[in-house]
DNA sequence: ATTCCATGATGCC
DNA sequence: TGGCATCCCTGGAA
């Protein structure tokens, strides 16, 4: 099953890693006293320390006072932040996962706990009654059955720092299986042939700021539409790199933030021959796909002045359009009567809706990702849409440095239940704080697999499943990763057994260090942070109170 | 090696 | 409505 397999030894496979930093002794286990204290116990301890100190040196009140103050709430008596690879919530704040007050993430019943002995030490040796709740509520959540899906859970190849800014969107080529398109915060669009790993190109002059969505032309595989925060819809020939602007909402340039138009949502209704793009003022724009000219007037489909971040055309019913945005709604529209306030349904959310997708084959279900840390599924667009059929609590908070998370359907899953979504919150995996990519069975909310690699310590908000192959592409910060199932990878490797049996890591051009494209794994000494020693043999540096989760050499 | 800072969207008041 | 506090990141600079 995915859970176990993910974590099975992969050491021999990843050749890029350097030797490790920490041989710092096996006496690290002292981690224990950091931690399994209840809040009151912690306070007691703090008080004790204070007392002792003030007794010891008759006067030293200032330093003593600074001793234990929470960085988050500034209150004494507890501390929040990373202890090694485990993050301690501030108990004064609502749970970072489910957002409910009264408990912390550690004791949240929605928290997914890893099994197989990789439980954070905190949950052994505790007398805290909360742990009983843990065992009771969470143990049954760990799926006992092998999923019928083949989860791509092993890094097959990667481009490290391919982009010079973070990746914002990914798209697989509709017919060429090994071509991955990626957009970034700078406005660049990359084309990567991940079968030939080193074949990649970046188009930098299509957009001036971040690319929010890309779609291939339904009639010409080489042509790509892109929506950007520069207010333009670009139309680019991937072969030649020549690009034209089909829509420019800022013809007069920068006139201040209140007038600057940005385009977010983008989709193509091939049935009606329309390219649809939505902006940050709540408006929907349409471009005739054949003439590539703007058609009709912009239509207000979300709250005036609010961002429409997502558009999705129904795969079966061409008259249905789904939109979502910052007004906390996902809305279903009839293309035949697109008028303000005339939506067929408004799906309410508690926070901003990052994405809303029809299910890939029948188009009857809807999957949404909201910034209230919940993934929602509506089972039938023909049924009751007043409330979702399911809400899955999942950590995918908004953060300024991250591309917003979007849960995505697996287009290959005929049952239309498997989804993939990156996880914000980190978990302590053998001493490393990692942010897995979650595969969730949306029919029951169970975690099917948590995919991670000890070398990938950054958060991976952008994920895309291949339309035909068991391949996952993910964008983490500036790097791209291709994942395959373990078995699959072995097959591939066997096939080309003459070639190195190693994961190929390729370096992008965007950073100085990586300029030289490394072939294979010959000179492993000079890899950069991303695939350096962090992952392996990590030991929690319990001694160093300063140590953050980034324990570099 | 470590700390700091910028950055931006959001939600609350 | 506008100002302001907030944020379990990330990258780069100090």
């Amino acid at each position: 099953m995915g859970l176990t397999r993910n974590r099975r030894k992969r050491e021999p496979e990843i050749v890029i890693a350097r030797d490790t930093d920490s041989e710092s002794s096996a006496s690290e286990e002292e981690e224990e006293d950091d931690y399994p204290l209840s809040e009151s116990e912690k306070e007691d301890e703090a008080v004790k320390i204070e007392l002792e100190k003030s007794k010891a040196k008759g006067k030293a009140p200032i330093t003593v006072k600074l001793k234990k103050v929470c960085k988050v709430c500034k209150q004494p008596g507890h501390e929040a932040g990373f202890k090694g690879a485990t993050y301690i919530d501030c108990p004064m704040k609502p749970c970072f996962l489910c957002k409910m007050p009264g408990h912390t993430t550690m004791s949240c019943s929605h928290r997914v706990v890893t099994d197989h002995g990789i439980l954070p030490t905190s949950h052994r040796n505790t007398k805290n009654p909360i742990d009983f709740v843990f065992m009771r509520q969470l143990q049954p959540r760990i799926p006992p059955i092998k999923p019928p899906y083949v989860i791509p859970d092993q890094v097959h190849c990667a481009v490290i720092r391919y982009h010079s800014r973070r990746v914002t969107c990914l798209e697989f080529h509709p017919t060429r299986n090994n071509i991955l398109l990626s957009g970034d915060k700078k406005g660049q669009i990359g084309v990567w042939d991940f079968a030939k790993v080193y074949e990649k190109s970046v188009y930098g002059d299509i957009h001036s700021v971040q690319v929010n969505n890309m779609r291939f032309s339904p009639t010409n595989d080489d042509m790509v539409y892109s929506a950007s925060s520069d207010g333009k819809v670009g139309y680019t020939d991937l072969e030649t790199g020549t690009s034209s602007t089909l829509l420019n909402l800022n013809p007069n340039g920068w006139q201040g933030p209140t007038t600057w138009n940005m385009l977010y949502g983008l989709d193509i209704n091939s049935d009606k021959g329309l390219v649809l793009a939505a902006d940050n003022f709540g408006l929907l724009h349409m471009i005739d796909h054949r003439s590539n000219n703007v058609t009709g007037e912009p239509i207000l489909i979300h709250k005036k002045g609010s961002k429409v971040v997502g558009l999705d055309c129904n795969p079966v019913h061409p008259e249905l359009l789904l939109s979502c945005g910052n007004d906390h709604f996902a809305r279903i529209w009839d293309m035949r009567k697109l008028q303000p306030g005339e939506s067929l349904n408004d799906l309410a959310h508690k926070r901003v809706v990052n994405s809303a997708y029809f299910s890939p084959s029948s188009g009857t279900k809807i999957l949404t990702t909201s910034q209230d840390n919940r993934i929602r599924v509506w089972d039938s667009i023909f049924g009751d849409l007043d409330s979702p059929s399911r809400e899955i609590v999942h950590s995918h908070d908004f953060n300024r440095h991250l591309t917003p998370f979007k849960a995505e359907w697996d287009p290959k899953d005929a049952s239309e239940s498997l989804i993939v979504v990156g996880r914000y919150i980190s978990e302590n995996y053998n001493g490393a704080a990692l942010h897995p990519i979650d595969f969730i069975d949306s029919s029951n909310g169970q975690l099917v697999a948590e995919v991670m690699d000890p070398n990938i310590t950054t958060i991976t908000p952008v994920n895309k499943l291949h339309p035909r192959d068991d391949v996952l592409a993910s964008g983490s910060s500036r790097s791209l990763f291709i994942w395959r199932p373990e078995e699959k990878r072995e097959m591939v490797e066997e096939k080309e057994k003459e070639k190195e049996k190693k994961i190929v890591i390729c370096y992008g051009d965007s950073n100085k260090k990586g300029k030289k494209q490394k072939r294979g794994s010959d000179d492993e000494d000079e890899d950069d942070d991303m695939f350096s020693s962090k992952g392996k043999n990590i030991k929690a540096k319990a001694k160093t109170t300063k140590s953050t989760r980034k324990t570099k050499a």
Side-chain angles (χ1 to χ4, degrees):
Chain A
M1 83 167 78
L3 275 172
T4 31
R5 199 179 50 191
N6 300 334
R7 239 167 280 117
R8 230 195 290 145
K9 45 83 225 200
R10 47 170 72 84
E11 271 76 352
E13 308 294 350
I14 297 183
V15 285
I16 307 300
R18 279 199 228 107
D19 52 9
T20 130
D21 46 346
S22 59
E23 338 79 64
S24 22
S25 85
S27 63
E28 313 273 39
E29 263 50 328
E30 270 70 53
E31 214 181 348
E32 88 296 2
D33 53 3
D34 297 341
Y35 201 75
L37 297 175
S38 73
E39 305 316 332
S40 55
E41 281 172 321
K42 274 191 212 161
E43 267 172 48
D44 289 350
E45 193 195 40
V47 171
K48 233 183 285 168
I49 290 171
E50 259 179 71
L51 285 176
E52 279 172 24
K53 292 243 167 138
S54 48
K55 248 187 257 170
K57 3 181 166 175
K59 41 141 192 198
I62 293 174
T63 43
V64 168
K65 259 182 206 158
L66 293 175
K67 203 55 190 165
K68 281 209 169 190
V69 169
C70 173
K71 270 180 251 168
V72 178
C73 69
K74 314 281 198 290
Q75 300 289 311
H78 65 274
E79 285 177 295
F82 277 102
K83 276 259 160 70
T86 307
Y87 190 89
I88 313 297
D89 274 3
C90 170
M92 300 298 145
K93 310 280 285 186
C95 170
F96 192 73
L97 213 201
C98 73
K99 307 299 180 194
M100 304 301 283
H103 66 276
T104 61
T105 309
M106 273 302 183
S107 54
C108 179
S109 64
H110 297 285
R111 176 163 167 265
V112 178
V113 182
T114 56
D115 56 351
H116 306 107
I118 319 201
L119 270 161
T121 47
S122 55
H123 296 293
R124 293 185 228 128
N125 315 329
T126 344
K127 295 134 203 137
N128 195 331
I130 246 121
D131 283 279
F132 291 101
V133 181
F134 248 122
M135 302 312 281
R136 294 270 294 279
Q137 295 196 352
L138 293 175
Q139 209 78 310
R141 292 174 64 89
I142 298 167
I145 40 131
K146 179 183 166 72
Y149 317 103
V150 189
I151 307 292
D153 59 357
Q154 306 284 314
V155 174
H156 178 257
C157 60
V159 203
I160 307 300
R161 296 191 181 174
Y162 179 16
H163 287 274
S164 56
R165 291 289 181 274
R166 67 165 197 251
V167 174
T168 52
C169 53
L170 294 173
E171 207 70 27
F172 281 104
H173 194 280
T175 54
R176 293 162 65 192
N177 279 350
N178 300 318
I179 304 293
L180 180 69
L181 216 59
S182 52
D184 73 16
K185 182 116 199 313
K186 207 179 176 186
Q188 301 191 322
I189 293 178
V191 188
W192 180 31
D193 183 341
F194 56 85
K196 297 176 191 157
V197 192
Y198 304 100
E199 291 208 2
K200 51 198 167 59
S201 44
V202 177
Y203 298 118
D205 46 8
I206 302 168
H207 293 293
S208 55
V209 283
Q210 78 192 63
V211 184
N212 291 307
N213 273 295
M214 301 178 294
R215 291 289 184 279
F216 277 89
S217 162
T219 55
N220 184 343
D221 282 354
D222 289 331
M223 303 301 291
V224 170
Y225 295 92
S226 51
S228 160
S229 292
D230 62 9
K232 293 175 182 174
V233 171
Y235 186 51
T236 306
D237 187 329
L238 293 182
E239 290 300 314
T240 63
T242 51
S243 181
S244 52
T245 298
L246 304 187
L247 172 64
N248 181 5
L249 296 179
N250 302 302
N252 301 320
W254 179 257
Q255 307 284 324
T258 51
T259 57
W260 184 255
N261 274 269
M262 301 185 264
L263 285 168
Y264 284 84
L266 178 77
D267 204 11
I268 295 168
N269 187 325
S270 48
D271 206 77
K272 299 191 180 302
L274 289 173
V275 178
L276 307 167
D279 69 16
N280 58 327
F281 291 113
L283 297 174
L284 176 73
H285 305 262
M286 292 186 279
I287 297 164
D288 183 281
H289 171 246
R290 280 164 278 263
S291 68
N292 280 330
N293 287 322
V294 174
T295 167
E297 288 296 307
I299 303 158
L300 188 72
I301 58 170
H302 278 264
K303 185 178 168 189
K304 194 179 173 192
S306 76
K307 218 162 65 176
V308 183
V309 292
L311 291 177
D312 191 39
C313 294
N314 192 290
V316 176
H317 310 282
E319 67 278 5
L320 291 181
L321 171 69
L322 182 58
S323 65
C324 63
N326 282 22
D327 62 356
H328 300 192
F329 280 100
R331 302 182 198 275
I332 306 173
W333 300 89
D334 187 334
M335 291 292 295
R336 293 164 298 191
K337 51 170 192 179
L338 275 172
Q339 288 159 35
E342 295 290 308
S343 57
L344 299 176
N345 278 103
D346 300 326
L347 312 182
H349 294 70
K350 293 202 189 70
R351 288 285 185 271
V352 169
V353 188
N354 288 346
S355 67
Y357 296 114
F358 287 116
S359 56
S361 43
S362 75
T364 58
K365 298 188 194 182
I366 287 176
L367 169 68
T368 63
T369 309
S370 171
Q371 285 178 17
D372 65 357
N373 263 3
R374 275 146 183 84
I375 291 164
R376 290 177 177 80
V377 185
W378 279 261
D379 273 342
S380 174
I381 53 172
F382 306 113
D384 172 31
L385 291 173
D386 291 343
S387 60
S389 314
R390 262 174 308 292
E391 283 185 7
I392 302 164
V393 174
H394 180 265
S395 171
H396 49 251
D397 287 55
F398 170 84
N399 185 292
R400 60 190 153 186
H401 299 290
L402 299 174
T403 305
F405 291 82
K406 299 174 177 185
E408 307 233 354
W409 298 102
D410 180 356
K412 301 176 294 298
D413 174 25
S415 71
E416 301 189 315
S417 52
L418 188 65
I419 59 173
V420 64
V421 59
R423 198 193 301 172
Y424 186 128
I425 204 164
S426 65
E427 200 73 56
N428 184 344
Y429 297 97
N430 275 344
L434 301 180
H435 312 262
I437 302 163
D438 290 327
F439 283 78
I440 296 171
D441 183 344
S442 67
S443 67
N444 56 20
Q446 281 199 332
L447 184 68
V448 174
E450 41 182 8
V451 171
M452 74 200 93
D453 186 290
N455 296 294
I456 304 171
T457 54
T458 46
I459 296 169
T460 308
V462 192
N463 298 285
K464 205 94 191 177
L465 285 162
H466 197 283
R468 292 168 298 278
D469 296 340
D470 291 320
V471 166
L472 166 69
S474 58
S476 190
S477 187
R478 294 149 57 181
S479 303
L480 299 182
F481 297 89
I482 293 290
W483 309 73
R484 290 179 190 273
E486 195 169 19
E487 311 84 64
K488 196 100 168 191
R489 196 190 67 215
E490 278 159 10
M491 280 166 52
V492 170
E493 281 172 356
E494 246 175 84
K495 232 188 277 174
E496 28 188 302
K497 52 177 159 257
E498 287 317 310
K499 296 188 179 178
E500 54 196 344
K501 282 201 248 166
K502 290 162 185 169
I503 294 166
V504 190
I505 308 292
C506 173
Y507 285 74
D509 301 318
S510 53
N511 89 44
K512 335 149 204 151
K513 256 200 276 179
K515 266 249 155 75
K516 41 180 180 230
Q517 289 189 7
K518 299 200 304 173
R519 300 245 151 205
S521 55
D522 320 359
D523 46 3
E524 284 140 31
D525 313 358
E526 358 194 21
D527 52 80
D528 69 8
D529 304 312
M530 186 71 84
F531 267 70
S532 64
S533 56
K534 266 181 274 177
K536 272 177 263 168
N537 305 328
I538 290 182
K539 301 210 172 159
K541 300 191 174 172
K543 291 277 167 77
T544 355
T545 42
K546 285 184 224 161
S547 86
T548 63
R549 69 206 189 94
K550 291 201 174 183
T551 45
K552 292 188 194 177

